[in-house]
Amino acid sequence: MPRTALTRPARHRRLLAAALTAVAAAAATLSGSTPAAAADVNVARNAGYESGLSNWTCSAGSGSTVGAPVHSGTGALKAAPTASDNATCSQTVAVKPGSTYRLSTYVQGAYVYLGASGTGTTDVSTWTPSATGWQQLTTTFTTGPATTSVTVYTHGWYGQPAYYADDFSVLGPDGGGGTDPGPEIPATPGGLTAGAVTPSSVALSWNPVSSATGYTVYRDGTKYRTVNGTSATATGLAPATAYRFQVTATNAAGESARSAEVTATTAPSGDGGNPTVPQHAVTGYWQNFNNGATVQKISDVPGQYDIIAVAFADATTTPGAVTFNLDSAGLGGYTVDRFKADIKAKQAAGKSVIISVGGEKGTVSVNDAASADNFATSLYALMQQYGFDGVDIDLENGLNPTYMSQALRSLSQKAGGKLVLTMAPQTLDMQSTSGGYFQTALKVKDILTVVNMQYYNSGSMLGCDGKVYSQGTVDFLTALACIQLEGGLTPAQVGLGLPASTRGAGSGYVAPSVVNAALDCLARGTNCGSFKPARTYPGIRGAMTWSTNWDATSGNAWSNAVGPHVHGLP
């Protein structure tokens, strides 16, 4: 969030613009595709890089094979781009004319691409901006009526670090070139455990299986969902109810036997679940500084706001730790005692008041166990000191999903089930589930209240349909929200973050009517632009704005229009 109305520096914009140009025609990985028929084969050779670079050619000597990290087996590709070479590693495969093939591989790294050329029809590609762990890229192509060979490839991006690839697949009819021996059915997963529970969810995790390409979770003996990683959260459960879970490992050969069964009981309905946050909520940031917007006390914030995020906590010299310093002088003599009393009054009216960490100038780093503990301990101390209901994560200098999720879980254990936890990532942070912010949100999904992504100071971005959308339109809001809604967050955990006025951000302001149209499109399937989601999300949480102060400067036009609309959603 900006402390001023100045435009935020366009971090990564030049690189992102190049990436978007390269993939403007790419299909989004969330779109899915029709599974290949049982008779299909993987026409790629040495698909797991178990025989070094046999059958593969890498540009400018950029490729090698390594024993770690690997997705399965004992080998994986490592390819290192340079300033003048994007480290393309390719293979020409034999295909059958007029046939459809499913192209996929697992990758790690930043700006990694997968594609096929010479298809005889439309060449395809897909990509990920960041994969800190193994992420599967998938797309499809159809060969032309006379096409008998296609070149498939991976590549990175100029000047970026090395990327990794493993378990390459071009699944479709045998074009006469044969295939590698198929994999064996994977072993049964071990170590299935149930972690955090809420009245409606259970967090599960298990040990990885080396030859698995996916896992299937069973609930009470029935298939519940499939995932790529070794964790999942079962949601939509009844309070105070026991559930039985098992998990299997899968690959192209089939599915393993089911794991040992674990039983988990959800929390009673009176515990957790953020009872003070309504089903559809409006979040507003309150400025603890004077930047030309209307100066407010907490008591001045209109009643349309359900969550008030106090901006911002301050970093300390202790790694990960934060504090809060009320700007009494800048706020016209607002005293700490009056501030605390106003928080209590808002809470008595059914509102939540939380402390926001980060902002445009906030640099808090949580990148190891010690700083994670400092973060949780200091925030809990602020909650006790001022009466805050929780925390908002608005770190615009990046975050470490492993240690940030560790810190937030520690805070949740200290604060209890009523912790209000919100996030305000930038659009780039939520383009892929492999991004640090998205990973963090999924890791703490069972305690997460809402992610209010900032749909401003952004520039163009990919939607969930793989098309590029420009900020400032209803399509930009709905197509980008779709990524989160289809990427693992529940509708109740997705909100739309917009400036309250043209002065509240450098770019991206839209009229309140556009915010309301986007909410209608997502919740009801009405008032959409050119993009219309494949399904509706009636449980969409609502909207957020920067800031209540800029809203007041404009006569509260934003909250007066958006607030009633949010609260009237189905």
Side-chain angles (χ1 to χ4, degrees), residues 526-570:
T526 60
N527 292 330
C528 299
S530 61
F531 171 80
K532 185 172 183 178
R535 57 194 180 105
T536 58
Y537 310 93
I540 190 85
R541 177 68 80 173
M544 170 274 282
T545 196
W546 177 267
S547 61
T548 64
N549 306 75
W550 285 116
D551 187 24
T553 304
S554 299
N556 294 317
W558 192 91
S559 58
N560 286 339
V562 177
H565 198 84
V566 167
H567 298 135
L569 290 171

Side-chain angles (χ1 to χ4, degrees), residues 115-179:
S117 61
T119 63
T121 55
T122 301
D123 292 347
V124 298
S125 67
T126 186
W127 71 301
T128 176
S130 176
T132 56
W134 287 110
Q135 177 187 347
Q136 188 178 33
L137 296 179
T138 302
T139 186
T140 60
F141 64 87
T142 300
T143 55
T147 302
T148 58
S149 66
V150 169
T151 298
V152 293
Y153 61 84
T154 58
H155 70 73
W157 199 252
Y158 302 96
Q160 293 296 299
Y163 71 89
Y164 299 87
D166 200 2
D167 294 332
F168 203 98
S169 177
V170 189
L171 198 61
D174 187 353
T179 184

Side-chain angles (χ1 to χ4, degrees), residues 205-479:
S205 62
W206 54 90
N207 297 334
V209 176
S210 62
S211 62
T213 57
Y215 300 89
T216 301
V217 177
Y218 288 82
R219 189 185 76 190
D220 293 335
T222 302
K223 183 180 291 187
Y224 169 66
R225 62 179 298 193
T226 58
V227 297
N228 291 331
T230 56
S231 64
T233 299
T235 59
L237 309 180
T241 303
Y243 291 90
R244 297 175 290 108
F245 297 97
Q246 293 172 287
V247 65
T248 63
T250 58
N251 62 17
E255 183 178 14
S256 74
R258 298 185 189 183
S259 69
E261 186 176 271
V262 298
T263 299
T265 301
T266 52
S269 58
D271 295 339
N274 314 126
T276 61
V277 178
Q279 178 184 2
H280 299 295
V282 178
T283 300
Y285 284 81
W286 175 86
Q287 297 178 187
N288 179 40
F289 49 87
N290 183 354
N291 66 344
T294 299
V295 172
Q296 292 181 318
K297 296 178 175 63
I298 293 292
S299 57
D300 297 327
V301 177
Q304 292 293 347
Y305 290 100
D306 305 291
I307 302 175
I308 302 168
V310 172
F312 295 97
D314 300 308
T316 71
T317 56
T318 301
V322 297
T323 188
F324 176 72
N325 300 291
L326 184 68
D327 184 11
S328 296
L331 302 181
Y334 196 15
T335 66
V336 171
D337 287 343
R338 173 68 188 278
F339 178 71
K340 292 179 179 179
D342 287 348
I343 290 175
K344 287 184 178 180
K346 282 294 183 183
Q347 292 165 336
K351 311 301 181 182
S352 298
V353 183
I354 61 178
I355 180 68
S356 180
V357 179
E360 181 186 20
K361 299 180 181 179
T363 53
V364 179
S365 296
V366 178
N367 50 25
D368 56 29
S371 57
D373 182 65
N374 293 338
F375 187 79
T377 300
S378 62
L379 276 171
Y380 184 55
L382 292 179
M383 291 176 65
Q384 292 179 305
Q385 180 180 359
Y386 292 97
F388 297 128
D389 294 288
V391 63
D392 168 69
I393 306 301
D394 183 21
L395 294 172
E396 299 181 9
N397 58 320
L399 52 75
N400 182 307
T402 298
Y403 293 108
M404 178 53 72
S405 59
Q406 177 181 316
L408 294 174
R409 289 207 173 276
S410 176
L411 178 62
S412 176
Q413 291 170 1
K414 297 174 187 292
K418 295 183 180 180
L419 176 75
V420 177
L421 171 58
T422 70
M423 295 183 178
Q426 299 173 91
T427 52
L428 181 63
D429 297 321
M430 302 298 285
Q431 283 279 281
S432 166
T433 55
S434 65
Y437 243 110
F438 214 142
Q439 283 190 52
T440 302
L442 295 177
K443 284 177 179 287
V444 298
K445 181 178 176 180
D446 55 304
I447 60 173
L448 176 64
T449 306
V450 63
V451 174
N452 291 305
M453 189 174 76
Q454 302 176 42
Y455 291 79
Y456 51 94
N457 291 344
S458 166
S460 300
M461 286 286 159
L462 289 169
C464 68
D465 58 353
K467 296 181 180 179
V468 179
Y469 293 95
S470 300
Q471 69 175 1
T473 64
V474 67
D475 287 335
F476 186 74
L477 305 184
T478 54

Side-chain angles (χ1 to χ4, degrees), residues 491-509:
Q493 293 172 323
V494 177
L496 308 181
L498 282 307
S501 73
T502 55
R503 297 177 64 189
S507 64
Y509 170 77

